[in-house]
Amino acid sequence: MKRPYVFITRKLKEELLTPLFEMADVKMWDSESEAVPREILMKEAQKATALLTMLSDKVDKELLEQAPNLKVVANLAVGYDNIDVKVASERGVIVCNTPDVLTETTADLTFALMLATARRITEAQGFVKEGRWQSWSPFLLAGADVHHKTLGIVGMGKIGQAVARRAKGFGMEILYHNRSRHMEAEQEVGASYRSFEQLLAESDFVVCLTPLTDETKHLFDHDAFKRMKNSAFFINVGRGQVVDEEALIVALNSDEIAGAGLDVFYAEPIGSDHPLLRFPQVVAIPHIGSASVETRETMMKLCRDNIVAVIQGNKAKTVI
Ligand code: DGY
């Protein structure tokens, strides 16, 4: 019988994938840091039984229609806006993601980004490393407090809830906006539901964790930033396209908001000439929400297990 063919779109540690090598012919793209070119992914998809993809790989209608043997796409991310799940389902292709295993790690990063932005950590580091520290002074790199402020979480999923738990330890008041009320979060951390507009008006830190969908695209537009307090910070660890970046630039330029911490961008990767990088009050990091070694390895193993399950005719653990 013909062995299944698995294509993995980045170079991953082989030892994490062992059971796959035993049961399938496995090919990995030979770079850990550079995305597989589209034309190669398209070619590989034509032969593949399974694809292990990154959030930077587009698994769209065009690709799916040219992948007659494809049974499963295991995406190394909790978000799956890079995959046309509707077309995949119509074609009987199972799509899996990596929920739960990255929750706490991504919440850590979200909190770190919020602290770094409010307390000007990266600016302060530059100040020391560039030899600009001449003397101590009372307001040198003075930022904003995080403790006991009001946190507004947009997208109260598991990561939002984990961020809220951390915020509780900082004595913050926690507001949230979500498609539906989240009673568990309300009970566990005392989070209060607000309309999107109310949340923007009341929060000192607006944290965006909502997935990218047709409804959330450009949710943060001119109007949204105008509604925020001038002293408030915008933190995005969701998806870049939830934000109208032009509107964010205007808001920062005109001091409508105090600053932004951004892990995600409209079109990734961004170059060093990206206009958002000109603002000292912007902390920008390269989409590393779930990037701890432990969590990334666990995510890879989950993708592996999902592919193994589908190839063996079993139910995958985390099907979208
Ligand atoms: C995800 O898993 O969707 C995150 O964006 C990765 O950091």
Side-chain angles (χ1 to χ4, degrees), residues 13-301:
K13 285 187 198 161
E14 285 193 19
E15 63 268 28
L16 295 174
L17 304 167
T18 313
L20 259 187
F21 284 99
E22 285 156 14
M23 65 187 310
D25 293 331
V26 180
K27 187 169 164 190
M28 273 193 269
W29 174 236
D30 61 10
S31 170
E32 200 261 328
S33 56
E34 273 171 45
V36 61
R38 171 78 178 171
E39 60 279 12
I40 294 181
L41 177 57
M42 290 289 287
K43 253 201 193 134
E44 294 295 343
Q46 284 166 21
K47 302 180 277 180
T49 319
L51 292 173
L52 197 164
T53 53
M54 311 295 126
L55 51 83
S56 46
D57 304 314
K58 268 229 150 332
V59 181
D60 54 9
K61 189 166 188 272
E62 185 195 16
L63 182 143
L64 289 161
E65 283 178 345
Q66 292 179 39
N69 306 319
L70 194 60
K71 287 193 162 64
V72 54
V73 178
N75 203 39
L76 190 84
V78 66
Y80 46 85
D81 47 279
N82 58 313
I83 300 175
D84 192 329
V85 179
K86 187 169 170 281
V87 173
S89 309
E90 283 162 9
R91 300 182 60 82
V93 176
I94 293 166
V95 181
C96 305
N97 65 342
T98 59
D100 306 327
V101 295
L102 49 61
T103 299
E104 299 297 331
T105 302
T106 309
D108 280 350
L109 187 282
T110 307
F111 223 84
L113 187 54
M114 184 163 75
L115 287 168
T117 309
R119 295 300 305 273
R120 306 174 63 180
I121 300 292
T122 49
E123 232 184 312
Q125 179 183 256
F127 193 77
V128 175
K129 286 200 170 178
E130 289 153 22
R132 289 188 283 136
W133 189 16
Q134 300 300 327
S135 70
W136 184 91
S137 59
F139 283 104
L140 176 64
L141 289 155
D145 279 331
V146 171
H147 68 88
H148 297 96
K149 292 283 182 73
T150 300
L151 170 66
I153 298 173
V154 179
M156 187 59 112
K158 289 188 176 142
I159 299 170
Q161 220 179 321
V163 170
R165 281 197 297 275
R166 285 156 178 74
K168 199 178 172 193
F170 276 64
M172 298 180 90
E173 182 182 352
I174 302 158
L175 312 178
Y176 78 98
H177 178 74
N178 206 43
R179 267 182 316 181
S180 51
R181 291 281 287 265
H182 196 307
M183 298 326 275
E184 198 186 306
E186 296 193 17
Q187 275 145 24
E188 191 194 358
V189 293
S192 309
Y193 180 83
R194 291 287 189 277
S195 70
F196 183 56
E197 290 74 18
Q198 276 174 312
L199 178 144
L200 296 173
E202 289 179 45
S203 301
D204 298 306
F205 295 90
V206 174
V207 171
C208 171
L209 289 165
T210 190
L212 174 64
T213 63
D214 290 344
E215 288 75 46
T216 63
K217 193 164 181 177
H218 288 193
L219 177 68
F220 287 90
D221 55 8
H222 287 287
D223 180 64
F225 291 118
K226 275 199 170 66
R227 286 176 189 273
M228 284 174 63
K229 296 181 191 176
N230 298 148
S231 56
F233 293 85
F234 174 68
I235 310 295
N236 192 5
V237 187
R239 283 291 182 268
Q241 294 189 15
V242 174
V243 178
D244 173 350
E245 274 182 1
E246 276 308 310
L248 176 57
I249 290 166
V250 170
L252 289 160
N253 252 330
S254 50
D255 296 326
E256 272 167 24
I257 63 170
L262 306 170
D263 181 43
V264 289
F265 296 86
Y266 205 92
E268 296 175 3
I270 59 167
S272 59
D273 57 349
H274 193 288
L276 279 167
L277 302 182
R278 288 202 305 262
F279 295 98
Q281 69 272 41
V282 168
V283 176
I285 51 175
H287 203 151
I288 56 169
S290 59
S292 71
V293 174
E294 299 96 312
T295 291
R296 284 285 158 87
E297 289 191 355
T298 307
M299 290 164 67
M300 286 167 198
K301 288 183 196 157

